[in-house]
Structures are given as C-alpha cells and as structure tokens.
Amino acid sequence: MDEVIQILEEIQPDPDYETCDTLIDDGFLDSFTILSIISELEDAFDIRISPADIIPKNFNSAAALYEMVQRLQG
C-alpha cells in the first residue's frame, strides 16, 4: 500500500491518500492524472490494467487502487 501512496503523491501531491475515498468524485484525479497513475502502477507492479478496470470505483481511493493491484497480481 505504501508504494501505491508514494506513486500517487509523486503524481498528484494534494490529497491525503491515507483518508480520502473520493479522489474521482471530488476532482483530485482527472483523466490525464489517471493515465499517469496507470502507467506508473503497471511499471511498478508488473501488471496490465485493462480498460474494464478503469472505473471510478477502482480509482476513488488509494485503498481501492491497492486492492486492484493485488487482484491483478493474483
């Protein structure tokens, strides 16, 4: 989880990723930021994030992103 938060903070340092669960809903992440996050996560965790995975539910919090990464690694 720490590595996911570190990636998020490098790309968009504003939100508190430990507690925020409305990253998409509150506009912290836009489409360009999401593309950057996808690229970084794919490189860092050696995963492939499919278009089907690119939904707000998976990107609204660091915890949701971490769960997606875990699932895709499995």
Side-chain angles (χ1 to χ4, degrees), residues 44-65:
F45 294 100
D46 194 30
I47 57 173
R48 170 80 175 101
I49 299 173
S50 73
D53 292 313
I54 305 172
I55 57 174
K57 177 181 109 172
N58 288 337
F59 287 83
N60 246 340
S61 69
L65 279 164

PDB file of all heavy atoms in Angstrom, residues 44-65:
ATOM      1  N   ALA A  44       5.510  -0.343 -11.943  1.00  0.00           N
ATOM      2  CA  ALA A  44       5.964  -0.674 -10.587  1.00  0.00           C
ATOM      3  C   ALA A  44       5.581  -2.082 -10.164  1.00  0.00           C
ATOM      4  O   ALA A  44       6.341  -2.748  -9.456  1.00  0.00           O
ATOM      5  CB  ALA A  44       5.411   0.335  -9.590  1.00  0.00           C
ATOM      6  N   PHE A  45       4.407  -2.538 -10.587  1.00  0.00           N
ATOM      7  CA  PHE A  45       3.900  -3.823 -10.098  1.00  0.00           C
ATOM      8  C   PHE A  45       3.850  -4.900 -11.173  1.00  0.00           C
ATOM      9  O   PHE A  45       3.361  -5.998 -10.920  1.00  0.00           O
ATOM     10  CB  PHE A  45       2.504  -3.632  -9.490  1.00  0.00           C
ATOM     11  CG  PHE A  45       2.519  -2.788  -8.249  1.00  0.00           C
ATOM     12  CD1 PHE A  45       2.168  -1.452  -8.297  1.00  0.00           C
ATOM     13  CD2 PHE A  45       2.900  -3.327  -7.028  1.00  0.00           C
ATOM     14  CE1 PHE A  45       2.175  -0.660  -7.164  1.00  0.00           C
ATOM     15  CE2 PHE A  45       2.921  -2.552  -5.879  1.00  0.00           C
ATOM     16  CZ  PHE A  45       2.569  -1.217  -5.945  1.00  0.00           C
ATOM     17  N   ASP A  46       4.344  -4.582 -12.367  1.00  0.00           N
ATOM     18  CA  ASP A  46       4.362  -5.530 -13.480  1.00  0.00           C
ATOM     19  C   ASP A  46       2.974  -6.136 -13.720  1.00  0.00           C
ATOM     20  O   ASP A  46       2.779  -7.351 -13.709  1.00  0.00           O
ATOM     21  CB  ASP A  46       5.392  -6.639 -13.230  1.00  0.00           C
ATOM     22  CG  ASP A  46       5.683  -7.430 -14.496  1.00  0.00           C
ATOM     23  OD1 ASP A  46       5.585  -6.851 -15.601  1.00  0.00           O
ATOM     24  OD2 ASP A  46       5.993  -8.629 -14.384  1.00  0.00           O
ATOM     25  N   ILE A  47       2.003  -5.238 -13.886  1.00  0.00           N
ATOM     26  CA  ILE A  47       0.622  -5.643 -14.136  1.00  0.00           C
ATOM     27  C   ILE A  47       0.129  -4.968 -15.407  1.00  0.00           C
ATOM     28  O   ILE A  47       0.778  -4.064 -15.931  1.00  0.00           O
ATOM     29  CB  ILE A  47      -0.322  -5.273 -12.970  1.00  0.00           C
ATOM     30  CG1 ILE A  47      -0.268  -3.757 -12.695  1.00  0.00           C
ATOM     31  CG2 ILE A  47       0.009  -6.083 -11.724  1.00  0.00           C
ATOM     32  CD1 ILE A  47      -1.281  -3.266 -11.671  1.00  0.00           C
ATOM     33  N   ARG A  48      -1.017  -5.416 -15.876  1.00  0.00           N
ATOM     34  CA  ARG A  48      -1.690  -4.792 -17.017  1.00  0.00           C
ATOM     35  C   ARG A  48      -3.072  -4.367 -16.553  1.00  0.00           C
ATOM     36  O   ARG A  48      -3.872  -5.204 -16.121  1.00  0.00           O
ATOM     37  CB  ARG A  48      -1.793  -5.789 -18.177  1.00  0.00           C
ATOM     38  CG  ARG A  48      -2.660  -5.344 -19.316  1.00  0.00           C
ATOM     39  CD  ARG A  48      -1.923  -4.378 -20.245  1.00  0.00           C
ATOM     40  NE  ARG A  48      -2.754  -4.067 -21.387  1.00  0.00           N
ATOM     41  CZ  ARG A  48      -3.451  -2.956 -21.529  1.00  0.00           C
ATOM     42  NH1 ARG A  48      -3.414  -2.029 -20.604  1.00  0.00           N
ATOM     43  NH2 ARG A  48      -4.184  -2.738 -22.595  1.00  0.00           N
ATOM     44  N   ILE A  49      -3.345  -3.079 -16.609  1.00  0.00           N
ATOM     45  CA  ILE A  49      -4.650  -2.550 -16.219  1.00  0.00           C
ATOM     46  C   ILE A  49      -5.479  -2.410 -17.490  1.00  0.00           C
ATOM     47  O   ILE A  49      -5.143  -1.619 -18.368  1.00  0.00           O
ATOM     48  CB  ILE A  49      -4.508  -1.206 -15.481  1.00  0.00           C
ATOM     49  CG1 ILE A  49      -3.690  -1.410 -14.198  1.00  0.00           C
ATOM     50  CG2 ILE A  49      -5.887  -0.617 -15.167  1.00  0.00           C
ATOM     51  CD1 ILE A  49      -3.338  -0.131 -13.464  1.00  0.00           C
ATOM     52  N   SER A  50      -6.526  -3.194 -17.587  1.00  0.00           N
ATOM     53  CA  SER A  50      -7.358  -3.201 -18.786  1.00  0.00           C
ATOM     54  C   SER A  50      -8.369  -2.056 -18.750  1.00  0.00           C
ATOM     55  O   SER A  50      -8.658  -1.509 -17.678  1.00  0.00           O
ATOM     56  CB  SER A  50      -8.102  -4.534 -18.903  1.00  0.00           C
ATOM     57  OG  SER A  50      -9.139  -4.582 -17.948  1.00  0.00           O
ATOM     58  N   PRO A  51      -8.920  -1.697 -19.900  1.00  0.00           N
ATOM     59  CA  PRO A  51      -9.958  -0.664 -19.912  1.00  0.00           C
ATOM     60  C   PRO A  51     -11.130  -0.979 -18.977  1.00  0.00           C
ATOM     61  O   PRO A  51     -11.716  -0.079 -18.398  1.00  0.00           O
ATOM     62  CB  PRO A  51     -10.401  -0.626 -21.373  1.00  0.00           C
ATOM     63  CG  PRO A  51      -9.184  -1.058 -22.131  1.00  0.00           C
ATOM     64  CD  PRO A  51      -8.542  -2.107 -21.254  1.00  0.00           C
ATOM     65  N   ALA A  52     -11.439  -2.248 -18.801  1.00  0.00           N
ATOM     66  CA  ALA A  52     -12.532  -2.644 -17.905  1.00  0.00           C
ATOM     67  C   ALA A  52     -12.237  -2.295 -16.448  1.00  0.00           C
ATOM     68  O   ALA A  52     -13.153  -2.131 -15.646  1.00  0.00           O
ATOM     69  CB  ALA A  52     -12.811  -4.132 -18.042  1.00  0.00           C
ATOM     70  N   ASP A  53     -10.951  -2.180 -16.111  1.00  0.00           N
ATOM     71  CA  ASP A  53     -10.555  -1.847 -14.739  1.00  0.00           C
ATOM     72  C   ASP A  53     -10.553  -0.339 -14.481  1.00  0.00           C
ATOM     73  O   ASP A  53     -10.446   0.099 -13.342  1.00  0.00           O
ATOM     74  CB  ASP A  53      -9.151  -2.383 -14.434  1.00  0.00           C
ATOM     75  CG  ASP A  53      -9.119  -3.894 -14.394  1.00  0.00           C
ATOM     76  OD1 ASP A  53     -10.004  -4.485 -13.748  1.00  0.00           O
ATOM     77  OD2 ASP A  53      -8.208  -4.479 -15.017  1.00  0.00           O
ATOM     78  N   ILE A  54     -10.645   0.448 -15.532  1.00  0.00           N
ATOM     79  CA  ILE A  54     -10.552   1.903 -15.393  1.00  0.00           C
ATOM     80  C   ILE A  54     -11.948   2.466 -15.137  1.00  0.00           C
ATOM     81  O   ILE A  54     -12.608   3.016 -16.013  1.00  0.00           O
ATOM     82  CB  ILE A  54      -9.895   2.534 -16.639  1.00  0.00           C
ATOM     83  CG1 ILE A  54      -8.540   1.879 -16.891  1.00  0.00           C
ATOM     84  CG2 ILE A  54      -9.728   4.042 -16.431  1.00  0.00           C
ATOM     85  CD1 ILE A  54      -7.903   2.279 -18.197  1.00  0.00           C
ATOM     86  N   ILE A  55     -12.375   2.268 -13.899  1.00  0.00           N
ATOM     87  CA  ILE A  55     -13.690   2.743 -13.446  1.00  0.00           C
ATOM     88  C   ILE A  55     -13.485   3.530 -12.149  1.00  0.00           C
ATOM     89  O   ILE A  55     -12.523   3.282 -11.418  1.00  0.00           O
ATOM     90  CB  ILE A  55     -14.676   1.574 -13.239  1.00  0.00           C
ATOM     91  CG1 ILE A  55     -14.127   0.561 -12.242  1.00  0.00           C
ATOM     92  CG2 ILE A  55     -15.023   0.911 -14.571  1.00  0.00           C
ATOM     93  CD1 ILE A  55     -15.096  -0.547 -11.879  1.00  0.00           C
ATOM     94  N   PRO A  56     -14.362   4.486 -11.875  1.00  0.00           N
ATOM     95  CA  PRO A  56     -14.188   5.313 -10.671  1.00  0.00           C
ATOM     96  C   PRO A  56     -14.014   4.511  -9.385  1.00  0.00           C
ATOM     97  O   PRO A  56     -13.218   4.884  -8.522  1.00  0.00           O
ATOM     98  CB  PRO A  56     -15.463   6.153 -10.637  1.00  0.00           C
ATOM     99  CG  PRO A  56     -15.856   6.276 -12.076  1.00  0.00           C
ATOM    100  CD  PRO A  56     -15.490   4.939 -12.687  1.00  0.00           C
ATOM    101  N   LYS A  57     -14.731   3.415  -9.253  1.00  0.00           N
ATOM    102  CA  LYS A  57     -14.645   2.594  -8.045  1.00  0.00           C
ATOM    103  C   LYS A  57     -13.209   2.170  -7.741  1.00  0.00           C
ATOM    104  O   LYS A  57     -12.801   2.116  -6.583  1.00  0.00           O
ATOM    105  CB  LYS A  57     -15.546   1.359  -8.215  1.00  0.00           C
ATOM    106  CG  LYS A  57     -15.500   0.377  -7.073  1.00  0.00           C
ATOM    107  CD  LYS A  57     -16.392  -0.802  -7.357  1.00  0.00           C
ATOM    108  CE  LYS A  57     -15.523  -2.002  -7.640  1.00  0.00           C
ATOM    109  NZ  LYS A  57     -16.242  -3.257  -7.763  1.00  0.00           N
ATOM    110  N   ASN A  58     -12.421   1.905  -8.773  1.00  0.00           N
ATOM    111  CA  ASN A  58     -11.037   1.461  -8.581  1.00  0.00           C
ATOM    112  C   ASN A  58     -10.060   2.605  -8.345  1.00  0.00           C
ATOM    113  O   ASN A  58      -8.919   2.366  -7.958  1.00  0.00           O
ATOM    114  CB  ASN A  58     -10.566   0.647  -9.790  1.00  0.00           C
ATOM    115  CG  ASN A  58     -11.219  -0.713  -9.855  1.00  0.00           C
ATOM    116  OD1 ASN A  58     -11.677  -1.249  -8.855  1.00  0.00           O
ATOM    117  ND2 ASN A  58     -11.283  -1.265 -11.042  1.00  0.00           N
ATOM    118  N   PHE A  59     -10.495   3.843  -8.592  1.00  0.00           N
ATOM    119  CA  PHE A  59      -9.588   4.982  -8.505  1.00  0.00           C
ATOM    120  C   PHE A  59     -10.011   6.022  -7.476  1.00  0.00           C
ATOM    121  O   PHE A  59      -9.376   7.066  -7.357  1.00  0.00           O
ATOM    122  CB  PHE A  59      -9.454   5.649  -9.885  1.00  0.00           C
ATOM    123  CG  PHE A  59      -8.632   4.833 -10.844  1.00  0.00           C
ATOM    124  CD1 PHE A  59      -9.200   3.794 -11.546  1.00  0.00           C
ATOM    125  CD2 PHE A  59      -7.291   5.099 -11.017  1.00  0.00           C
ATOM    126  CE1 PHE A  59      -8.448   3.032 -12.431  1.00  0.00           C
ATOM    127  CE2 PHE A  59      -6.524   4.349 -11.896  1.00  0.00           C
ATOM    128  CZ  PHE A  59      -7.110   3.308 -12.601  1.00  0.00           C
ATOM    129  N   ASN A  60     -11.054   5.772  -6.705  1.00  0.00           N
ATOM    130  CA  ASN A  60     -11.555   6.762  -5.748  1.00  0.00           C
ATOM    131  C   ASN A  60     -10.733   6.830  -4.467  1.00  0.00           C
ATOM    132  O   ASN A  60     -10.870   7.777  -3.702  1.00  0.00           O
ATOM    133  CB  ASN A  60     -13.030   6.507  -5.418  1.00  0.00           C
ATOM    134  CG  ASN A  60     -13.919   7.628  -5.914  1.00  0.00           C
ATOM    135  OD1 ASN A  60     -13.475   8.737  -6.162  1.00  0.00           O
ATOM    136  ND2 ASN A  60     -15.191   7.331  -6.056  1.00  0.00           N
ATOM    137  N   SER A  61      -9.879   5.840  -4.228  1.00  0.00           N
ATOM    138  CA  SER A  61      -9.036   5.874  -3.025  1.00  0.00           C
ATOM    139  C   SER A  61      -7.764   5.070  -3.262  1.00  0.00           C
ATOM    140  O   SER A  61      -7.698   4.215  -4.154  1.00  0.00           O
ATOM    141  CB  SER A  61      -9.787   5.291  -1.825  1.00  0.00           C
ATOM    142  OG  SER A  61      -9.965   3.899  -1.990  1.00  0.00           O
ATOM    143  N   ALA A  62      -6.770   5.345  -2.440  1.00  0.00           N
ATOM    144  CA  ALA A  62      -5.526   4.571  -2.509  1.00  0.00           C
ATOM    145  C   ALA A  62      -5.799   3.114  -2.164  1.00  0.00           C
ATOM    146  O   ALA A  62      -5.218   2.206  -2.768  1.00  0.00           O
ATOM    147  CB  ALA A  62      -4.492   5.167  -1.563  1.00  0.00           C
ATOM    148  N   ALA A  63      -6.697   2.888  -1.217  1.00  0.00           N
ATOM    149  CA  ALA A  63      -7.034   1.515  -0.831  1.00  0.00           C
ATOM    150  C   ALA A  63      -7.665   0.759  -1.999  1.00  0.00           C
ATOM    151  O   ALA A  63      -7.341  -0.416  -2.241  1.00  0.00           O
ATOM    152  CB  ALA A  63      -7.981   1.519   0.363  1.00  0.00           C
ATOM    153  N   ALA A  64      -8.544   1.417  -2.750  1.00  0.00           N
ATOM    154  CA  ALA A  64      -9.173   0.771  -3.911  1.00  0.00           C
ATOM    155  C   ALA A  64      -8.130   0.475  -4.986  1.00  0.00           C
ATOM    156  O   ALA A  64      -8.157  -0.597  -5.604  1.00  0.00           O
ATOM    157  CB  ALA A  64     -10.287   1.650  -4.464  1.00  0.00           C
ATOM    158  N   LEU A  65      -7.209   1.398  -5.192  1.00  0.00           N
ATOM    159  CA  LEU A  65      -6.139   1.155  -6.158  1.00  0.00           C
ATOM    160  C   LEU A  65      -5.273  -0.018  -5.721  1.00  0.00           C
ATOM    161  O   LEU A  65      -4.904  -0.868  -6.531  1.00  0.00           O
ATOM    162  CB  LEU A  65      -5.277   2.412  -6.314  1.00  0.00           C
ATOM    163  CG  LEU A  65      -5.840   3.472  -7.237  1.00  0.00           C
ATOM    164  CD1 LEU A  65      -5.135   4.802  -7.022  1.00  0.00           C
ATOM    165  CD2 LEU A  65      -5.714   3.045  -8.681  1.00  0.00           C
TER     166      LEU A  65
END
